[in-house]
Amino acid sequence: MTIPGIIGGLFLVLGAAFLLLAGLGLVRMPDLFNRIQAGTKATTLGTLLTLAGAACLRPEWTLKLLLIGLFILLTNPISSQVLARAAHRTGAAKSEKTTVDRLVDDTEERP
Amino acid sequence: MVDILIYIATALTGTGILLALYRFLKGPSPADRVVAFDTLTLMTVTLIVIIALAEGRGIYLDVAVVYALLSFLGVIAVARYLERGF
Amino acid sequence: MTRVPAIALLFATLLLFWLFLNGSLAGDVLVVGIVAALFIAILFRGGRSILSGFHFTPRTIFAALGYLVFFLAELIKSNLHIARVVLTPSLPITPAIVKVRTRLQSPMGRLLLANSITLTPGTLTVEIDGEWLYIHWVNAEATDIDAATAQIVAGFEKYLEVMYG
């Protein structure tokens, strides 16, 4: 039992807890855009924390884990944005709690 | 001690996967399913890393790299299809 | 060395990626990496890399470090915010799609800004149209352009403006 081992294990659990929250957010959020928000943010931090934990447990894997982390940090927001844009352009349903939609206002102005 | 923490992490990730799977099956729109799929992918990447730790095999990390790469391309492709396809 | 040719940047990024993936500096790995990175860099010399438009000066490198620290802090805040929303039984959200404006000119700067916005508390970039960004906001605190810009964009723009200015 080592100190880096315990810290790494705790990082793993914390990261996995955020992944659980991501799943919960997907189920609970009322519309697509809010689901994307919960999904993207919580999985990004969750995965990064797990990778950090793995790097504490296995220092010799650090470079490869860093690569996975960087890749996820750069690509995960992009795929969410592309998806949100596609959904908005095809008129995805929005929750009735939504107060303003400037994008709809602007696209209606210039047909 | 570390083993127990790894088990807890696996259980938490597994529950997250079940919740995302519920959204994947329920939908209702195709875009909702893609969001669920994207989330599932990252959870699976994490699970692969945890399995690599539990088994002590670094070669599994390569699987995680390729999986993250392919799913990114997959989501982009499906989003493009949703935008122009039908 | 403030202006590095794009092809050299692409080559360096690719080679670094290859070395990270292999995790070793053995002779054969290095040779294969250099040949492959050079080939791809020549093939895609017109393409963009994360460092396109980045000027290497001490000032921009400090700005990049500051940006990284600020970004990680925002990412953690963002997750605590989502966790609080999701775990509250009444689901307290007031979503809106707001419009903000950026002063950034370079495409890479705008890409990083959009990505950063997506990972910060409650905001998601939906569409970019020139200098205008449309942001989905889980708990919209302001819906007019100036107030939303000050809240969402200003923090990151300060660093990105130096880095890609």
Side-chain angles (χ1 to χ4, degrees):
Chain A
M1 193 157 75
T2 55
I3 299 298
I6 300 290
I7 294 173
L10 289 177
F11 266 124
L12 278 185
V13 171
L14 199 64
F18 275 114
L19 290 181
L20 176 62
L21 281 176
L24 201 62
L26 274 187
V27 172
R28 287 206 66 203
M29 285 298 197
D31 70 357
L32 178 77
F33 298 103
N34 291 307
R35 281 175 201 146
I36 296 180
Q37 296 242 14
T40 314
K41 291 183 224 298
T43 49
T44 308
L45 187 65
T47 311
L48 288 182
L49 285 175
T50 335
L51 294 176
C56 290
L57 291 172
R58 288 286 184 140
E60 69 271 25
W61 293 355
T62 306
L63 279 182
K64 207 168 275 181
L65 293 167
L66 197 64
L67 188 70
I68 302 178
L70 272 178
F71 186 76
I72 284 170
L73 209 53
L74 278 174
T75 60
N76 202 26
I78 296 181
S79 57
S80 306
Q81 283 157 33
V82 172
L83 196 60
R85 192 182 66 175
H88 198 281
R89 283 189 181 168
T90 51
K94 288 188 292 284
S95 152
E96 63 239 23
K97 286 182 177 173
T98 309
T99 49
V100 197
D101 189 339
R102 301 252 179 222
L103 185 48
V104 165
D105 299 347
D106 281 10
T107 35
E108 275 167 1
E109 270 169 31
R110 17 149 238 243
Chain B
M1 177 67 189
V2 172
D3 286 352
I4 299 168
L5 290 175
I6 289 180
Y7 286 137
I8 297 172
T10 314
L12 288 172
T13 313
T15 320
I17 287 179
L18 285 180
L19 289 169
L21 205 58
Y22 168 81
R23 179 53 69 201
F24 182 73
L25 294 174
K26 185 146 177 284
S29 72
D32 285 295
R33 292 177 210 270
V34 183
V35 177
F37 169 79
D38 193 24
T39 314
L40 276 172
T41 309
L42 279 180
M43 291 171 175
T44 313
V45 168
T46 311
L47 206 55
I48 293 173
V49 172
I50 294 177
I51 291 171
L53 280 175
E55 304 265 319
R57 299 190 61 173
I59 192 87
Y60 290 171
L61 293 184
D62 293 317
V63 181
V65 174
V66 174
Y67 196 58
L69 213 113
L70 285 181
S71 101
F72 169 61
L73 294 177
V75 171
I76 299 281
V78 176
R80 292 255 143 178
Y81 171 73
L82 288 178
E83 208 169 297
R84 312 223 176 103
F86 44 78
Chain C
M1 51 164 249
T2 52
R3 279 272 179 199
V4 185
I7 189 166
L9 284 176
L10 186 57
F11 173 76
T13 318
L14 287 166
L15 189 62
L16 213 59
F17 186 91
W18 171 257
L19 291 178
F20 271 37
L21 199 59
N22 277 282
S24 90
L25 277 171
D28 50 344
V29 171
L30 202 60
V31 169
V32 171
I34 288 173
V35 170
L38 201 60
F39 182 68
I40 300 172
I42 291 170
L43 208 60
F44 292 96
R45 58 187 171 280
R48 292 204 175 97
S49 105
I50 182 84
L51 293 173
S52 311
F54 188 91
H55 311 293
F56 287 91
T57 61
R59 192 159 156 262
T60 57
I61 291 169
F62 272 120
L65 289 176
Y67 167 75
L68 208 62
V69 171
F70 183 68
F71 170 77
L72 286 177
E74 288 287 302
L75 180 62
I76 293 168
K77 260 196 270 173
S78 140
N79 275 275
L80 295 177
H81 168 254
I82 282 287
R84 208 194 52 204
V85 169
V86 167
L87 291 175
T88 309
S90 62
L91 209 63
I93 56 172
T94 47
I97 295 183
V98 299
K99 189 177 177 181
V100 298
R101 175 184 222 152
T102 173
R103 294 196 301 267
L104 297 172
Q105 295 297 325
S106 91
M108 220 52 211
R110 284 182 180 167
L111 171 71
L112 278 185
L113 178 69
N115 270 7
S116 310
I117 287 173
T118 297
L119 291 174
T120 51
T123 53
L124 165 75
T125 313
V126 176
E127 178 94 72
I128 303 183
D129 182 14
E131 57 180 354
W132 300 104
L133 282 88
Y134 296 87
I135 314 281
H136 180 267
W137 205 350
V138 169
N139 287 93
E141 291 155 26
T143 51
D144 69 293
I145 293 172
D146 290 332
T149 305
Q151 282 233 13
I152 300 176
V153 177
F156 287 112
E157 213 173 39
K158 194 173 64 190
Y159 297 105
L160 288 170
E161 221 168 18
V162 180
M163 285 161 68
Y164 291 95

